[in-house]
């Protein structure tokens, strides 16, 4: 009878530990999904910022070209 109770207790402990592990695994999975969504969002923002920087660089280059064609401003730049 003593060994039977020990076996039952041991099984209950394992079930409890298994339940805790399942709960922890569920939290980890939810965290992983949240991180994936955040990475996807940040990647999208990164692409938008790269496009904006490219546009600004192009506009700045065009502006510098136009300014350098203006003789008065060209003298100021030199």
């Amino acid at each position: 009878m003593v060994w039977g109770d020990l076996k039952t207790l041991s099984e209950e402990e394992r079930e409890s530990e298994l339940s805790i592990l399942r709960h922890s695994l569920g939290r980890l999975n939810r965290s992983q999904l949240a991180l994936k969504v955040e990475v996807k969002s940040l990647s999208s923002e990164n692409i938008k910022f790269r496009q904006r920087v490219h546009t600004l660089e192009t506009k700045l280059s065009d502006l510098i070209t136009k300014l350098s064609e203006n003789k008065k401003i060209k003298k100021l730049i030199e």
Side-chain angles (χ1 to χ4, degrees), residues 25-75:
L25 183 60
R27 282 190 348 222
L28 285 172
N29 284 337
R30 286 188 296 277
S31 295
Q32 182 184 21
L33 289 174
L35 287 172
K36 282 183 179 181
V37 168
E38 187 174 355
V39 165
K40 187 174 181 178
S41 174
L42 290 172
S43 294
S44 177
E45 285 182 41
N46 187 18
I47 290 170
K48 289 177 187 176
F49 286 135
R50 286 174 181 250
Q51 289 171 344
R52 289 176 68 186
V53 165
H54 176 72
T55 300
L56 289 172
E57 287 174 341
T58 303
K59 288 181 177 183
L60 180 61
S61 178
D62 291 346
L63 181 60
I64 290 171
T65 301
K66 287 179 183 178
L67 289 175
S68 66
E69 291 171 356
N70 186 320
K71 292 181 181 179
K72 290 180 183 178
I73 296 176
K74 188 174 182 180
K75 287 180 183 179

